[in-house]
Amino acid sequence: MSAAVAQAPEVEMAHIHPAPASANSGTGDKSGAPLSLQVEALAKKNWHFQKRRKWTNCCLATLPIIFIAILAALQALINSILANSDELQCPKDKSDATPGQLAWCALEHPQTVVPLFLLPSRIFAADSLILTSGDNAQNIAQLNDGISAGQAVIDARAGAAWTSFTTTAYQAFNASCPASSGTPITLQAFQNALLSSCANYGNDVSEASNFINGSVVAQSISDAATYVSQSDAETCTRTAMSAASRLPLPNIPFGSPSRLGIRLFSDTAFSSLEVADTESLVDYEVETGPWSIVELMAANCSSLSAVSQCYSRLVGLATGARSACRSTNPTVVPTSDLRTKIFDSWIDRKTKAADTLKEISAAYEWQGSDSSSSTFRVSIYFNDTNQAENDGGGPPAMLRVSAPLSAAVTSWVDKVFNNHNYNGGYSNRLRGLKEMPKPETSLVLDFASLLGPLLYVWVVQLPFPVVLIALVYEKEFRLRVMMKMMGLRDQAYWIITYLYNAAIFFVYIVIFVALGSAAGLNIFTRNSMGIQFLFYFFFLNNQVALAFLSQNLFRSTRAATVVSYLWVIGSGVIANFVVSSFISSPATSPAVLTLLHLLPPFALYRGLFEFAEYAFQAGYNGTFGMDFDNLRDSANGTQEVIIILAVEWIVFMLLAVYLSQVIDSGAGVRKHPLFFLGYTRQSHKDVSSEYQAALSRMPEDVRLERERTLRDDATDAIKIRDLQKVYPGIAGQPAKHAVKTLTMGIKSGECFGMLGPNGAGKSTTISMLSGFVEATSGTATVQGLDINSQMEDIYTQMGVCPQHDLVWESLTGEEHLQFYGRLKKLRGQDLKEAVEKALQSVNLWDDTVRPKLVGQYSGGMKRRLSVAISLMGNPTAVYLDEPSTGLDPASRRQLWEAIKTAKQGRAIILTTHSMEEAEVLCDRLGIFVDGELRCVGYPKELTRRYGSHYVLSTTCEGRFQESVRQAVLQLSAESVCTYSVGDTMKFAVPLKAVSESKIFQAMQHLKSQDILRDWGVANASLEEVFIEIAKGKAKDQLSPKANSGIAANTSQQQLSENPNVIVA
């Protein structure tokens, strides 16, 4: 340059003209959008979001399809195997049927089964009944005599029974074998033939088989009835025996040491007996050993009459088992010794006093029964060992209580009414035990119902983790609080989010039930659809409510994912292996089951368990399963489960709403625990030593800003008063003071820049102002609304561009702005125009960009979208946290223009690390260090006040550089050469050592000597000031008086001034 010109420090102030809100940028009413418009906005956003989750939706819908398909295929395979098995169905020709096949045939006339005592196996038997003695010894003895079944009693009963038995058999014989020649057989001849047969029959199984098949009996009857051919004799014998087997049985006590089922394989048990194995004849388990299966109980078996012995054998034949006699050897003990006598052997075995356990058959304790009154009171102790053995499954066994009870009643009736005359006029004969008739059946293995409860518990609960993870995702990435900050009310959020997730759950259940019904699975088709609808409806709502409640416990989607899936899997396993035992056990009290039902997975298991049980029985019997009438069944817990699920649904939702408001769950500022009663959280002032220390070291300009803000007549749009944030220490570390006693104000139309190193508290301040985090103490107001108690009202007037982009990657940029525009009360043409202008302002309106999902955006494009979102709807307060991070220079310049245009009529707080951005956009700056505001002022003012040196630039030939260097050192010995490249050098000249006029004179002198070609002097840059302040080395270069004047001179009039000082 031909003349040296030095630009002196300048103080630049932006001239701001507040502008009214435009028609397409929102309205002046800051009450927020009506609930209906917010519901519409969130519903449309969710709809766009759901449309693009095709893969997730397909996976969720495919799970029940795969599950039902596998169950249906397995069921079809099992049905095919069963249908092709001859052993598992009743044959058309029963003459060659096996006992296994006969089990599936119709049973129109079930055979009478002898009521039996359960006798211990002979190696464990005590061979005795236990009877009690009492005060009335004679009466007790008579009663005991009836129980013990003495010789005379047995003979008397056997004689009467024999007559009835043979008479009926004889009648059946004659009806089936009409005389064709010779003299018809007489009853006496028939009896003699049977007695002869009994005499020839021993205890050998093969002889029993021969007897049953007619080789002995048929021959005897053939000898007596010569007119009947050999083949007809066998047929007639079988017919007679079949008829006899259905006779009313006499009151002769029989017993068996084995389980004896009550279902016989056909209504004519001897019609097709071609095998000798006794296990094939009746449904019971044969014990190995030398004892008989059905035994006559007598006091002394050796003295039995021939009639009694023959009859007992015929009873064994009628039941298809071997028969013999067992001596009971009854023992009479005092009543007080009864229980000791019963358990003597068990105690001896436990104490190892005996090697073998000796069991009794039965015990009787007479209580007040005598011949002078009609009182009948007796305690009966009966052996029920085989019932315990049958707990693991297998054929149903007879409960051996009928015979012991019948013996007691018979003895008492004979003593009281017949005077111990067994041929008296009163009788209470137990006619026998018979099963109900049944139609022809087939084996139905309902695989889906058997495995259903466990697998269905897993499948039905699968949407629960999906709902929970979605809720926690919105909270973890602050999408929910972002929506709140843009004006979304909690009511709209709860309504739409609940209905949205419930609809997903409902569609999933509908697919599950519809596919199960279409596949023909009994658990769906044989139970009432009305009951299933109520059950699944209340369960899905219960699960959605539980997800809303549970999301308060999680801050991370990873933790929510792990816990929720473990909950589903673990609860199903526990229900199947633990809860099912409680449900199946008759000893479980209703209160215990109710407590179990309080856990939703266990309630689900109980409902599915009931559906499976009713469906399995319905499939086996060919009937319908559960209907509404069955809900009243005492053992059916479905009704209770539905009621519990419905009540819990309401309780869970109320708790979820309440806890989301009062606990620090990451979804915004907490409310007072009694907010529903009108209580609000009040700010409190910190009076700690840390607070006092921060006040004492407060710089002068910061102190003056504090005093100005705290004045009642201050008209700032945003007022911050003693705002602090302290994070508690972790793992023994001290607490972190992120923000310390911040007090300042921002006027409408002003952009305030917050500068500072990382961790200085800038983003934390914006987070407290915008409701991301809760302030530890202090408060702030936005248009007079307090952030501690009126945050929801502030949300309607606020726009936020957070430090990290809070966007949905499955939506387009246009859909984002449409959603947030509706929350700001924009609709119709106004919404369309506002969205278009906003996208144009940040260069996202291009046809190639608009269709893109945000997930396809670059980082810079997402930042621009976040800025556009923050400016939607004409908010009065806007927080921009590092808005230009990641932008290229061209995009950054365009973004700056959008922000400068938008700041008209708004109070903007902007954080940045770019000094250039701060100088371009901000009217005032504040530099934060370690949570404290270290200085505040206009950009040029700060460089003038806190710059510690002048920057002197010179250009000269190389031979003159040393002369220039010496001239600068003469100005100040502390001057430093900071830059020297080619002919150019730069020097840092301390402000306190030299005045501007001396620099001017010295440089002009060198210029006049043709040593310098060009020179210039300027203040230190804002970046240099920032570095000095961040290092704690910067000092205010102005006097306190000057400080006072500058800090106080902040009226709107001075903000419109822009003085430039040029030094030539």
Side-chain angles (χ1 to χ4, degrees), residues 476-490:
E476 178 185 6
F477 294 97
R478 296 186 171 183
L479 292 170
R480 178 181 172 189
V481 72
M482 181 66 181
M483 291 187 287
K484 289 182 67 174
M485 289 189 299
M486 296 301 290
L488 181 66
R489 296 280 184 175
D490 282 338

Side-chain angles (χ1 to χ4, degrees), residues 55 111 117 222 240 259 305 392 547 698 749 888 925 927 986 1025:
W55 178 248
Q111 185 171 345
F117 283 78
S222 177
R259 288 184 296 177
S305 66
M698 187 175 290
D888 60 87
L925 294 176
I927 299 180
K986 289 186 178 181
V1025 171

Side-chain angles (χ1 to χ4, degrees), residues 547-677:
F548 274 84
L549 176 60
S550 302
Q551 58 97 17
N552 291 294
L553 306 176
F554 299 98
R555 290 180 178 271
S556 166
T557 52
R558 180 176 299 179
T561 301
V562 172
V563 173
S564 59
Y565 280 107
L566 284 178
W567 170 264
V568 170
I569 296 173
S571 62
V573 173
I574 294 174
N576 189 67
F577 293 103
V578 178
V579 178
S580 61
S581 62
F582 283 97
I583 298 174
S584 303
S585 174
T588 305
S589 68
V592 172
L593 291 177
T594 300
L595 289 176
L596 291 174
H597 296 160
L598 294 179
L599 284 177
F602 295 165
L604 171 65
Y605 182 87
R606 178 63 187 275
L608 294 172
F609 179 88
E610 298 293 353
F611 286 145
E613 287 291 309
Y614 277 88
F616 187 84
Q617 293 297 328
Y620 181 78
N621 298 323
T623 59
F624 192 72
M626 187 190 303
D627 56 25
F628 282 94
D629 291 336
N630 298 123
L631 293 180
R632 292 190 292 269
D633 296 347
S634 59
N636 189 349
T638 307
Q639 184 175 7
E640 178 182 296
V641 164
I642 291 175
I643 294 173
I644 289 177
L645 290 175
V647 173
E648 285 184 338
W649 170 24
I650 299 173
V651 174
F652 287 165
M653 278 307 301
L654 292 177
L655 284 175
V657 173
Y658 175 77
L659 292 178
S660 69
Q661 301 294 320
V662 301
I663 67 173
D664 184 13
S665 61
V669 178
R670 293 181 300 165
K671 292 184 178 180
H672 192 280
L674 299 178
F675 71 91
F676 51 89
L677 298 179

